[in-house]
Amino acid sequence: MVIAAVALVLTFGAALAGYLAMVVPGVWFPAATARTWNASELTLSSGTGALDGTVLVVTTGDATNTVLLSLTTDFRSSDFPAIHWLATGVPDGADVRLLWKSDVAPNKTNVAPVTVEAGRLRPAILSRNPAWLGRVKGIALAIRAPLIEPVRIEGVTAKPMSAPQIAGDRAREWFAFEGFNGASINTITGGAELQDLPLPPLAAIAIALATLLLWALHRYVPRLYAYRVTCTLAGLFVVGWLVLDARWIANLARQTFVTVNQYGGKSGHDKHVAAEDGPLYAFIEKARGVMPAPPARVFVAASAHYFRGRAAYHLYPHNVWFEPFNDVMPSPAWLRPGDWLLVYQRRGVQYDAAQKSLRWDNGPPVAAELKLLEPGAALFQVR
Amino acid sequence: MDLLLVIAAWLLVWIAGIALVAVVPRPRDAFCAPGEIAWLAGAGFFAGAFVVTLWMRALSLAGIPFTRVSIGVPLLLIAAAGGWIAHRRDGPGLARAWRAGLLALSARETAGWMRALWWAVLGWLALRYALLFADVVTQPLYPWDAWIQWATKARVWFEAKAIVPFATLDTWLAGNGALYTDAAPTYPAAVPLWQVWSCVALGRFDDVLMNVPWWFVAVAFAFAVFGALRRAAFDPTAALVGTWIVVSLPLIDVHVALAGYADLPMAAYFTLAALATLAWIRTRTVYDGALAVLLVLACPLIKTPGIVWAATLVPGVVLALAPRHGMKIVAAGLVLGLAALAVLSQTKPIVLNYQLGLDFAPAWAALFESFYMLGNWNLLWYGVVAAAVLAGPRLVARDVAPFTAIITAGALFLFIVFGFTNARAWVETQTSINRAVLHIAPLAAVWMLVVFRAWAARRGDVAPAAASV
């Protein structure tokens, strides 16, 4: 069994080494170590944004929908073949480019494309870029796209792309905490959201190679290794499964800790207030206080489908209508006296207090009375 | 106290279910065979959880409001009557079987490192279920569909103390307030009724504790899988390790921790329906047949695709009933089915909420990513492919062929859904694909174990199974 364990470790190492051979752009053990610049050191040359703690939050681009961030640097390009901008919320399909100037041609601005994946930027590998020469005197990031949501930039790292650094990056991705979110019910990534080399295929390759190795050992040197291939494969598969399961259980334990910290010991009401939609829940609680006992007919409108669905859920057992998939208001023809309309963070709804009249999306007016009003939220009763 | 009430309510469901299954006639002392008690305990929960929803439907039809008495007392009566009948019929044998089951739990049959492994796996499973329990009893209803189409019904039915109809928009508007609506008004009632029973037991609507049955589903499922593997002649340690492999799929855990979807119940009912069907094929007893029928009937009442999942069992049954011509019959049925789908797809019909079309464009890259790169399935699909390749001709050997036919039919169903319908978009976005695969993943894991053992037996590395799943 010791031999099998050694074989599995060796083949895992070999598989990882094979991967590193493909991705390390230069020498495996360079002298340089990674350099990181924080968001506070960046200059926002185009676009609008502000620092939120340690993160630069960019809300809009300039007139051409361009965001430009720059940084003065001074490092040898050969020491750092990769530049990684730590950004989230970058629109898919955005035109993103890395720009830099070097002392080789100080007046020339060089450009390389940056790939967007799941709202993040992949490291730009520049080792084979002919313009990545000399000392780099400044780098910049240009994002051209309409920003639907803010782009959050934590900083930028110049990476030496050494074998230990890349292996370390992969290990950090495997063991990164994957907290539960809205997508968790559909997909578990198994660590960081973006991974260059996920752990399951590496484990599978290691198991396959170790099985072959041990099969050969059993066949040709049976005195050294006595287990048959079925036993070997089953054992290695179980060990591989256990490694992945241990990673998952550690993640689950951490998530349980987060959940208990957020909700543990709280009443049902306090749990909802502490949830992601706490402000919405608080408004609905007030609305329920204004409305009669269930079931009243109530229509729900909100621009975000999350808020439409959550508002409706909190309103049951009233007789709720909400459009789960599209941001549409109810047709005025559907409404009748006594019905209720709850609007939450939805533009285009106008109330004329003098006329006690409500209209939306340029439709006909509806006689209604405002019953509850808070910033971005209102409850009306149709007259 | 609140938590204890809900736990008591679900233990009552569990005990009633066990009693219900135990009264089905079977040979004397049959409960003493390996795995029988674990299978009874596990499958019993699912029988009870299904029957309680049927009873709540009946109450609603009869106009009797949901209360602790109207639901709890019949469960208590079923538990008592079933226990009494089973005791009268199998008294000493049943008691002996329960004692043997408890003794087996302490691994007295094994020694040395096998015993250490047994306890290690049990401890590992206990840790998993402890973490999941903490999540379930702490986290308010969280995942998306749970609050737009499942718990919406539970909330209304709990207040109404009855099942009131949910309808599509047009019907709702015409209903003048008599009907309700949500994102999926036609979805089956079983899962919301579980939540209603939790809340009825509790005496108030609580969107945390109403999800406790999902944890019970996970625990009972582990019992049932262990029982099924033991019944199929896996030795105790192999059966326990196999159970751990089946229940440790990360997506299963997520569906417990973030309870509220019907996919885990669907997976559990389908898996156990298939295992009960395969057990019936092997034993041809009333006991296995009755349990298979009950679990198969539950499938479409848990989630709409359950009707197709239930249909995927047919090829396995045909192969078992007609071993000589079964393969031809299944092949002919497959061709006819595909031809019918091809004709149907000309009109782009909507079948079980999927729009059927002939434009074949599966998202292979996304499928590959989901199955082999992401963390959803641990090493399951690597193992399934490896087991299939290694087993080769053993896949269609007489003892394995029905199981292989069921898995193939299930895979074909997913292939059609994600290759020929609008559902392919959900593959590309990694949304419903994994939840749909979850329905068959635990069964595929059991199949992987069975096929691997068949391969090992062919090589003479393990004793041929006295019985196969």
Side-chain angles (χ1 to χ4, degrees), chain A residues 156-174:
Chain A
V156 57
T157 300
K159 295 185 168 183
M161 297 297 277
S162 66
Q165 176 238 306
I166 292 175
D169 283 354
R170 295 299 83 80
R172 270 188 291 281
E173 288 166 5
W174 297 335

Side-chain angles (χ1 to χ4, degrees), chain A residues 181 185-189 198 201 228 230 241 244-245 248 256 271-272 295 310 313 316-317 319 321 336, chain B residues 124 128 135 147 169 172 176-177 179-181 207 244-245 248 253 255 373 375-376 378 382 430 434-435 461:
Chain A
N181 57 42
I185 199 78
N186 294 319
T187 296
I188 296 297
T189 57
R228 290 183 168 200
T230 49
W241 193 285
L244 292 175
D245 194 39
W248 165 247
T256 304
K271 282 182 179 179
H272 280 295
R310 290 298 288 180
Y313 171 65
Y316 286 104
N319 201 333
W321 175 86
R336 57 180 196 205
Chain B
W124 193 240
R128 175 183 309 275
D135 272 312
W147 42 262
L169 175 63
W172 179 77
N176 223 12
L179 308 169
Y180 285 79
T181 190
D207 74 352
W244 160 64
I245 283 176
S248 63
D253 288 351
H255 276 250
M373 305 301 275
N376 301 303
N378 206 321
Y382 292 99
Q430 296 287 348
N434 296 317
R435 289 195 282 115
D461 293 348

Side-chain angles (χ1 to χ4, degrees), chain A residues 286-302:
Chain A
K286 287 179 192 162
R288 294 173 72 93
V290 174
M291 293 168 69
R297 234 167 63 134
V298 53
F299 294 81
V300 173

Side-chain angles (χ1 to χ4, degrees), chain A residues 110-184:
Chain A
N110 304 290
V111 181
V114 180
T115 306
V116 183
E117 200 170 295
R120 295 166 190 267
L121 299 178
R122 294 191 66 83
I125 310 295
L126 301 156
S127 54
R128 291 184 183 167
N129 191 307
W132 191 248
L133 288 171
R135 294 193 74 81
V136 177
K137 293 297 188 181
I139 59 174
L141 178 73
I143 302 173
R144 182 174 290 178
L147 299 186
I148 297 161
E149 60 177 272
V151 174
R152 300 172 66 84
I153 294 152
E154 292 173 39
V156 57
T157 300
K159 295 185 168 183
M161 297 297 277
S162 66
Q165 176 238 306
I166 292 175
D169 283 354
R170 295 299 83 80
R172 270 188 291 281
E173 288 166 5
W174 297 335
F175 298 109
F177 174 53
E178 182 183 4
F180 287 159
N181 57 42
S184 300

Side-chain angles (χ1 to χ4, degrees), chain B residues 204-227:
Chain B
R204 63 181 163 78
F205 185 79
D206 184 320
D207 74 352
V208 180
L209 296 181
M210 72 179 183
N211 297 322
V212 164
W214 271 259
W215 184 81
F216 274 89
V217 163
V219 173
F221 186 58
F223 274 101
V225 170
F226 176 78

